């Protein structure tokens, strides 16, 4: 565990919380103990997560076609059109099955034994994917070092 505490800062894996006054970069939280779900629990979560993503996908379409159909009170046209990430090239493009985001990062919080709340949704290529990949690399590195050290001590 102590090795992981040194590995994450050394890799410089950070994130910012946008909207906070200081916009300070923070090290990603790291927990070497993975969260493991039983098959039945995962099956229930999987159904809900798939349903959630299917329900969120049309919101991508709303943003892409905002010029055609503006929904008052939802979001203003200038918030979309003036955003640096807006791509006018997507206007009029109808994607198969209306899949506009291929990766969903849905952060869950367990609030009771069988109950979860959604903390945050990311319908895009979320930065959370890089966190997951870096976490996996860190766990692999820590386990490899631990195994090597144990092997050396037993020789």
């Amino acid at each position: 565990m102590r090795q992981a505490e040194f590995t994450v800062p050394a890799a410089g894996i950070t994130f910012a919380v946008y909207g906070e006054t200081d916009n300070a970069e923070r090290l990603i939280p790291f927990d070497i103990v993975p969260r493991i779900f039983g098959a039945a629990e995962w099956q229930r979560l999987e159904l809900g997560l798939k349903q959630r993503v299917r329900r969120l996908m049309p919101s991508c379409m709303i943003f892409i076609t905002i010029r055609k159909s503006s929904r008052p009170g939802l979001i203003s046209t200038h918030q979309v059109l003036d955003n640096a990430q807006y791509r006018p090239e997507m206007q009029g493009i109808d994607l198969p099955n209306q899949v506009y985001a291929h990766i969903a990062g849905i952060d869950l919080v367990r609030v009771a034994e069988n109950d979860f709340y959604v903390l945050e949704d990311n319908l895009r290529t979320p930065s959370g994917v890089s966190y997951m990949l870096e976490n996996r690399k860190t766990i692999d590195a820590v386990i490899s070092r631990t195994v090597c050290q144990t092997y050396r001590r037993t020789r």
Side-chain angles (χ1 to χ4, degrees):
M1 182 64 151
R2 299 211 36 78
Q3 289 175 340
E5 290 173 12
F6 295 112
T7 302
V8 172
I13 309 161
T14 63
F15 70 99
V17 178
Y18 301 104
E20 286 194 356
T21 53
D22 63 356
N23 258 350
E25 291 286 317
R26 302 176 188 178
L27 292 173
I28 66 165
F30 180 79
D31 189 350
I32 196 159
V33 180
R35 302 302 186 252
I36 299 172
F37 299 103
E41 187 174 41
W42 176 249
Q43 192 173 35
R44 185 173 144 258
L45 281 170
E46 182 182 23
L47 286 171
L49 294 171
K50 284 181 176 180
Q51 179 186 46
R52 186 171 191 87
V53 171
R54 279 193 301 273
R55 297 274 192 246
L56 288 169
M57 201 60 67
S59 66
C60 293
M61 188 65 187
I62 289 169
F63 299 139
I64 289 166
T65 60
I66 197 144
R67 285 186 180 166
K68 295 178 185 173
S69 62
S70 181
R71 291 175 64 181
L74 179 68
I75 190 167
S76 68
T77 303
H78 81 84
Q79 285 178 298
V80 174
L81 300 179
D82 295 343
N83 187 298
Q85 302 305 312
Y86 174 72
R87 294 290 171 252
E89 302 87 1
M90 290 300 296
Q91 286 292 328
I93 304 247
D94 188 23
L95 297 175
N97 301 316
Q98 295 201 347
V99 174
Y100 292 89
H102 292 275
I103 298 175
I106 301 174
D107 299 338
L108 298 176
V109 177
R110 185 187 294 271
V111 294
E113 186 177 337
N114 294 310
D115 293 320
F116 294 87
Y117 287 164
V118 173
L119 181 62
E120 178 183 30
D121 292 307
N122 291 291
L123 266 189
R124 54 186 166 86
T125 304
S127 57
V129 171
S130 62
Y131 300 154
M132 180 274 302
L133 294 173
E134 288 300 326
N135 276 345
R136 182 175 290 167
K137 280 174 37 180
T138 301
I139 289 170
D140 288 346
V142 168
I143 290 171
S144 294
R145 278 188 233 130
T146 304
V147 168
C148 288
Q149 288 169 357
T150 303
Y151 176 75
R152 286 184 195 127
R153 280 191 295 247
T154 61
R155 289 185 67 185

